[in-house]
Amino acid sequence: MSYLDTTGRIFDIQRYSVHDGFGIRTIVFLKGCLLRCRWCCNPESQEYAIQEMRQSDGKVRIVGQDVTVREVMKTVEQDRMYFRRSGGGLTLSGGESLLQYEFARDLLHAAKDQGFSTAMESMAGVSYDRIEAVLPYLDTYLMDIKHINGAKHREFCGKDNALMLENAWKVASSGQCELVIRTPVIPTFNDTVPEIRAIAEFAARLPGVEQMHILPYHRLGFDKYVGLGREYLMGDVKPPSRELMMELRDEVNKTGLRCMIGG
Amino acid sequence: MPSFNPEPTKKSERISRLVEHLFAKMPEIEPARAVLITESYKKTEDEPIVKRRALAFAHILKHIPIIIRPEELIVGSTTIAPRGCQTYPEFSWEWLESEFETVETREADPFYISEETKRALREIHPYWKGKTSSELATSLMAPETLTAIKHNVFTTGNYFYNGVGHITVKYGEVLEIGMEGLIHKAAEELASMNVGDADYPTKHELLEAMIISCHAVILYAQRYAELAEKMANETADPVRKAELMQISANCRRVPAKGAESFMEACQSFWFVQQLIQLESSGHSISPGRFDQYMYPYYKADLDAGKITRDQAQEYIDCVWVKLNDLGKCRDEESAKGFAGYSMFQNLCVGGQDKEGMDATNDLSFMCIWASQHVFLPQPSLSIRVWNLTPHELMHEACRLTRTGIGLPAYYNDEAIIPALMNRGISMEDARNFSLIGCVEPQVPGKTMGWHDAAFFNLCRPLEFVFSNGMDKGEQASIRTGELADLRTFEDFWNAYKKQVEYQIALMANSDNAIDAAHAARVPLPWLSCMVDDCMKRGLTTEQGGAVYNFTGPQCFGIANAADSLYAIRELVYNQKFLTLQEYKEAMDDNFGKGFDDISVREASVEIVNNLRAAGREPSAQEVAQIVARVKTADVSPEKKKKYQELLDKIDALPKYGNDIPEVDYLARDAAYLYTRPLEKYKNPRGGMFHAGIYPVSANVPLGAQTGATPDGRLAHTPVADGIGPMAGRDINGPTATANSVARIDHMIASNGTLLNQKFHPSALEGEKGLNDFESLIRTFFDQKGMHMQFNVVDRQTLLDAQAHPENYRHLVVRVAGYSALFTTLSKSLQDDIIQRTEQTSAY
């Protein structure tokens, strides 16, 4: 069986994405996550199971679809010319792509075979051999580090962060791909200078890491919680101000990293 | 070697004050021109028409009131009130008189009109009865054409009511040799003729008329020179005094003679631009390649140290303000189709020169910045893009797009040049193309393109297939068979094809009748002396004097046609979910979604017409009863359920605009149904017809005259705009839309195509956003797409602007082919803009 026949479960494919890697990209969202971050804007990504979600227009949408690499690539290839013009390509996101690491690996492999640039958004919370499997096909690893403090991480995301931080070191040391650290800035969780600064200092020490993205919290996922019949735990928390984001950016820049607000 | 300086210039403070002054009041209709032309026409009834036109133009220019507005550096105003308009009774006037009481309060493009003006116009209007171009055009049309027009299949109202305009003259030649140079050329042509020549009588008259017109323009500029000098003597402010003396000196010199400085060149350009729009009411007088013909004057002054880049920018900005100081009052229906007070003065930068080298220069950048500084809808700024367009210029263009002004529009040299060459235009001329009005490519100074010749609604012939040519109880088109006889999809397709072709022939008849009427009644000698080869041929542009002659009527609604044909093929012929007859019933019942006022009116008219056809004239009381019955008619719950099921089925089908080849290629074939048959028609000027695919904003008012369509579009709602997908149906993002649209043959639509895309500002954030945006445009153009333009706004902003127009008086939105002030658009058009799919980037 060809690697193009590997099957996986996705919940969306989004073209003309310009905030997740270089150039114009197509994002494939893989279903299933190992964390349960309270602010998650894609709550339908968390369960691996196929779900029903009621949209704001009242219609019910089936979230989750089993597809082969070949099928996904058919859509991805439709933007070949845009990738060529812009240097873009395929980005995997989720959920946590590595929960379906064979599917992820084969998607990236297929994209590389087509000459597309590849990127993956992931928090690296799986055993390293799974990460190692995808690295040969990966150009840019957009790795989430949400907090340095393990206890706080567990409280807000449902899991400890030790394995993730350890994997960050391993990926960086492998030198096999560009590593970019991404941090969502969440009021009530990590929106202070010392907390962001701690992540930045950790990132700056990782061999070869040059960039960090800080992504302001937004509440655009709210409707989806309603649609899934779930409670929105963030309540009325407001997005961080522009001033705060700029202050945090300057703080990150002090560590020698290049910091971008948004992707 | 091409060179340019991408370092931004400064905006002078004067510019904001000029803009503020311009927008302080509602635009006003002034009577001076109409009164003057009537005076002149009454005195010249025995003269040949070209001479009458020239004498009338001279009479107007000698006596029309003039004004220099506060702080202006470039002068020349057609009306005393800012943004006002004159009227042009020689084309049409009855609509205006009948709209006197509503023109000030109407939804689209209201104009103030004083009682005094109404009186003045009422006094002169009767003279024009029977003498207008529109009356002659009507009498020249075939009866079946008049029927088709009555049933709104297409509209040729633009040139029926108004001058043609839609032209780019040889601005460069005027800058170089001035009116005196043109007079000299005409005199030489006169001297070269033999009195026995076959065309001597007519050509002689025309050349004389051109000379009269040029002298009139010189005199007009002299009046400004004198006014400026008088004002200089009256002012105590030494700075303004010096400015006015400079203005006076400029107006004494240009446009009589060639320009000797950049400021003179700007002044000379403006007089030409302004006065073409006083000779005739035609809009879309397009400056074309401003960055090219103005450049020598800029370069010379800059090299000689006579001017700084910031000063040059201020003059350009002043010209930009002036381009917004012109108005045109259209009839109420047309105003809806062209909403936004737009004059469509298309000005383009960049692209290639005649030899295929990149033409970008300093002025290309400064034109983009001028639009940023002035932040008004005029000029309709365009950028020509080709494979070697410098990234720096594209970047500045994208930056302007990001401001939300809806400018510039992007045009693809790589598609347009071959498309024009296919029409018999030389390579050199094709490389030198510029744009007219919304999106129409042509060769500047050599073309009478009759662009924008008609709006053809592709949904109407589809309705005729279902009704076998009947409309509102009348046989409005040919019979193409009972529905039961259309046994295969091919039968249906052929019926549609026949309906389209029949209506195209009528449209050509309508255009040609109007064309002939313009040649006979409103030739334009002054305009013609600035277009090749009118002098040599001894013909005005209206009579076929231009080197290249075309008629370019545009269709719209391709997305509805494609989605409808796809739905019919699938649901009727493949799945056999319903019959054509059932489909027709569903559409007649508006899919059970209720009837609006238009439906009630139309259904009542149909019943009344049927009674009349049966030989019974209903009384007023009976008519009222019919209306009341129609109003309360409703669809049964069972039917409603059935219709909902049908709508859901339609909804689930693939739609054009989502990068789905099978429906996109159907759209391609549907477009050919219009673009191909059109090519065989000729116009009275010896040119051919060629298609455009764009709607300006006519998709809204003409949609209001279209019943429900098989794609699930409800009755009287807007039809799809341009070559793009139906609003709200493109859900796979801008690359998918672009891929779909590129599957239609743009090259055959050599009168222009239009793709409107709406972006949320977040998709263009930062340098990366701009780079990706540039890649999107370039990739669409790699696929030989012809044109792209963008609205960068968020929905919330637009909703708020709707609720509080007073806070958004300067909010500019690009509506299908041009920029307009959002708050001046009609509510339905605003809704249409808001409804368009927002292609925001991923969160």
Side-chain angles (χ1 to χ4, degrees), chain B residues 770-804:
Chain B
L770 292 180
N771 287 337
D772 291 340
F773 184 65
E774 178 182 342
S775 297
L776 173 73
I777 296 165
R778 287 195 186 263
T779 311
F780 178 60
F781 286 179
D782 287 342
Q783 303 176 65
K784 303 290 179 265
M786 208 178 243
H787 159 279
M788 238 181 172
Q789 66 188 24
F790 304 91
N791 272 336
V792 177
V793 283
D794 61 48
R795 191 187 154 74
Q796 219 47 51
T797 311
L798 292 179
L799 289 173
D800 197 44
Q802 239 180 357
H804 307 284

Side-chain angles (χ1 to χ4, degrees), chain A residues 67-81:
Chain A
V67 288
T68 63
V69 170
R70 198 188 302 278
E71 285 164 346
V72 173
M73 287 308 292
K74 207 177 149 204
T75 302
V76 175
E77 281 169 28
Q78 284 180 286
D79 281 352
R80 177 192 304 279
M81 295 181 57

Side-chain angles (χ1 to χ4, degrees), chain A residues 37 39-44 218-222 224-225 232, chain B residues 843:
Chain A
C37 306
W39 56 86
C40 183
C41 63
N42 288 326
E44 78 278 31
H218 60 77
R219 42 184 290 120
L220 296 165
F222 175 79
K224 298 182 183 177
Y225 284 85
Y232 190 61
Chain B
Y843 282 105

